[in-house]
Amino acid sequence: PDPDHYKATVGVVHGVDWNNLPDVVPELPASSSPEDVWHGMRTSYGTYQVLLQSGDALTDGGVAGGIYAADDGALLFQSEKPDFNAFVPATADGQRGFLYTAWEDRPAGISQLEIAWNATSSEWDVLHSSMLDLSGINGGWVLCFGSISPWGAPLFSEELYFDNTEEWNDESFRYHHNQVLLEDYLGHYPNPYDYGYIIEIEDADSAEPAFNRHLAMGRFSHENAQVMPDERTVYLTDDGYDTVLYKFIADVP
């Protein structure tokens, strides 16, 4: 492999009390060498630990970033685009939990790492790793940034990148080859109205989470959804230029 090629990396900065940061960020040592850099990551405070890189073998038999066909499980391609990360504790002390990562592709992927803090090595151990099966919601589409709800559920954002839905079927449109990839994933040509929503991961503190698309929050090029403490009001951002900020209010929390 090309030593200058940086693999897509999922990692964590640990050894930092984020609630008690220093007034001044310490400078990197003058003696800092290329060996101190983990694929472009350098930290002045805390230690950066690589947890997963694209192409790594997963404990469930797949590869990190692998996008697999819904019908026969064949590997369609390997994503190099990890984006949003959400850690959901599985224990009260937060020493074990599940780390979810959005792989921002068309079709998209979500990886799940079960990790536990190792006090002896002062690092996180990866207990289990997998790419989750999104076929139950017809796959994900350009999963970008996200947030965690007040009830501890990760909220992933689907970006559409379409000004008009009719472009979905336009073979001359610059993104049309991605619909073809989604067709390869599904085994049939996709319905554009299935995509462009906020996806909530339910039961995220377990090995078998579920997915729920929130259709009522609207279909557009989502970047993020932030749920307010009342658990009814949600502010939603729209990725792109000349876009708007949305406000959603549920009938009940």
Side-chain angles (χ1 to χ4, degrees):
D2 182 356
D4 296 324
H5 173 67
Y6 291 154
K7 292 184 179 181
T9 302
V10 177
V12 59
V13 177
H14 54 72
V16 178
D17 183 354
W18 298 102
N19 297 311
N20 187 28
L21 294 173
D23 294 332
V24 178
V25 177
E27 295 182 2
L28 285 168
S31 60
S32 180
S33 66
E35 287 73 23
D36 298 327
V37 181
W38 257 106
H39 295 270
M41 293 299 300
R42 303 174 73 184
T43 58
S44 294
Y45 189 41
T47 303
Y48 184 75
Q49 178 190 351
V50 172
L51 296 173
L52 185 73
Q53 293 187 302
S54 57
D56 284 354
L58 303 175
T59 56
D60 73 345
V63 296
I67 306 300
Y68 297 89
D71 51 0
D72 59 8
L75 177 64
L76 298 178
F77 64 93
Q78 182 181 299
S79 176
E80 297 281 349
K81 300 177 180 179
D83 197 287
F84 170 58
N85 293 286
F87 177 71
V88 179
T91 57
D93 60 6
Q95 298 296 294
R96 184 177 66 84
F98 295 91
L99 179 66
Y100 296 90
T101 300
W103 294 78
E104 188 185 6
D105 248 305
R106 308 168 179 83
I110 298 178
S111 60
Q112 182 198 59
L113 299 181
E114 183 179 3
I115 59 177
W117 180 250
N118 187 324
T120 302
S121 64
S122 296
E123 289 190 335
W124 290 91
D125 292 335
V126 178
L127 306 180
H128 186 267
S129 55
S130 65
M131 296 296 296
L132 297 178
D133 181 6
L134 303 182
S135 62
I137 56 170
N138 290 326
W141 189 251
V142 198
L143 294 176
C144 193
F145 192 55
S147 62
I148 296 182
S149 72
W151 53 92
L155 301 174
F156 288 80
S157 308
E158 287 188 300
E159 290 179 341
L160 261 184
Y161 293 145
F162 290 91
D163 297 324
N164 297 291
T165 298
E166 66 183 11
E167 294 170 336
W168 188 266
N169 298 313
D170 183 354
E171 294 184 1
S172 66
F173 187 63
R174 65 185 185 279
Y175 290 129
H176 187 75
H177 67 283
N178 298 306
Q179 283 87 278
V180 176
L181 278 174
L182 187 53
E183 180 181 22
D184 292 341
Y185 169 83
L186 292 172
H188 58 81
Y189 196 76
N191 183 339
Y193 294 101
D194 286 342
Y195 309 97
Y197 302 98
I198 295 296
I199 299 176
E200 178 178 353
I201 297 187
E202 300 174 342
D203 301 321
D205 59 350
S206 71
E208 297 183 0
F211 304 96
N212 180 22
R213 270 196 175 94
H214 288 294
L215 307 185
M217 288 187 185
R219 175 176 173 264
F220 53 90
S221 191
H222 290 277
E223 179 67 27
N224 194 17
Q226 192 68 44
V227 183
M228 297 295 101
D230 66 358
E231 299 190 4
R232 293 179 57 229
T233 306
V234 185
Y235 289 95
L236 305 116
T237 57
D238 185 356
D239 185 88
Y241 300 100
D242 300 318
T243 54
V244 298
L245 178 68
Y246 292 89
K247 181 179 181 179
F248 170 84
I249 303 178
D251 294 334
V252 297

